[in-house]
Amino acid sequence: MFEFVWWWAFILLPLPLLVYKFAKPVPTPAAIHLPRIPKGLGGKQQRSRLRQLLMALMWVSLVLAAARPIWYGDPIQIQPEHRDMMLAVDLSGSMAMEDMVMTNGNTTDRLSAVKDVLADFITKREGDRVGLVLFADHGYLQTPLTLDRNTVAQQLERAVLGLIGESTAIGEGLGVATKTFIDSKAPQRVIILLSDGANTAGVIDPLEAAELAKENDVTIYTIGVGADSMLQRTLFGSRRVNPSQDLDERTLTDIAKMTGGEYFRARDRKELETIYQLIDQLEPISTVQQTWRPRDELFRFPLGFALALSVVIVVLRRRHG
């Protein structure tokens, strides 16, 4: 949108005409009467009119600059406060287990189900800074806290099993995620941890990492991933087994309780979706917004044009008098 901030400056436009009409003229020498008009006098009159036109344009340009023209861009919504949210995702070998039932009845591996649901969750966290930690043999910061949610979703999609080992270092995953909050000034700090096993690697105990998170005012929500039962084919036929027998629900529950969070159980894709909806309710997205419109001051263009015209006028006067 285009606007003149000091629009009242346009009342100055007729000022030169008023001065010319009402100001007392400067006395001039007596006119010389000639019997005939010298050759070339008409050309001087044309040059005088050209200078008058240039001076008029220069004055209009100066008034335009004085009126302070501004171009306003499209409104931009900003949030004065944001939440910092780290996602800690298990990349251990057991995440390849194909026991997660999808909405169409087919089964898929645990990591694919997590990616599918978590990507949608990330895109909805508008206004929050989101980061990604992956853990297996060790914890690894994949994406630092950022407002660019698309980048976080892309980094999650590129995560593959075996990238950092086959074991499960829950403690290190929490430790790395908590470390990212040290310089955070966000009023709310949240970690969402997804795992399908027990802590079998790393140098930090999960409860010690949870205690560190608690000291830094970090809330942890833990999610246990994996079905309770599935049919397994053997040489003697099919038998029903518990694919989540290694899931340490007690530790995940203790981690959540220590920090004021909650533990959830995701046995299929539908439960995983419901869990993220519950987390959205427990950690609602901030609705407080401020509107900012970028603006560009344009006075420099008519001012520069007026300066260029003044140079042309001076050159004409020196050449032709």
Side-chain angles (χ1 to χ4, degrees), residues 92-111:
S92 61
S94 56
M95 289 291 285
M97 181 76 69
E98 295 186 3
D99 62 346
M100 298 294 285
V101 180
M102 305 298 283
T103 53
N104 58 8
N106 296 330
T107 57
T108 187
D109 62 90
R110 296 170 180 177
L111 181 59

Side-chain angles (χ1 to χ4, degrees), residues 165-182:
E166 298 290 330
S167 301
T168 310
I170 295 176
E172 280 200 18
L174 285 177
V176 172
T178 302
K179 187 178 179 181
T180 61
F181 293 124
I182 292 178

Side-chain angles (χ1 to χ4, degrees), residues 233-237:
R233 293 182 179 180
T234 66
L235 294 174
F236 305 100

Side-chain angles (χ1 to χ4, degrees), residues 100 223-227 263-269 271-272 275:
M100 298 294 285
I223 302 174
V225 182
Y263 168 68
F264 302 96
R265 186 75 172 87
R267 299 170 182 83
D268 52 38
R269 188 189 188 281
E271 285 189 349
L272 197 56
I275 289 169

Side-chain angles (χ1 to χ4, degrees), residues 183-222:
D183 297 324
S184 172
K185 297 180 181 179
Q188 291 173 280
R189 306 174 184 90
V190 177
I191 295 176
I192 299 177
L193 181 138
L194 299 99
S195 180
D196 67 344
N199 190 72
T200 58
V203 296
I204 305 175
D205 181 78
L207 296 181
E208 290 179 0
E211 185 64 32
L212 180 64
K214 181 180 178 181
E215 292 173 0
N216 286 273
D217 298 321
V218 178
T219 303
I220 302 176
Y221 294 95
T222 55

Side-chain angles (χ1 to χ4, degrees), residues 2-5 64-71 296-299 302:
F2 186 76
E3 180 181 290
F4 289 100
V5 178
L64 284 173
R68 196 181 169 191
I70 290 180
W71 173 262
D296 186 15
E297 299 274 358
L298 303 178
F299 71 90

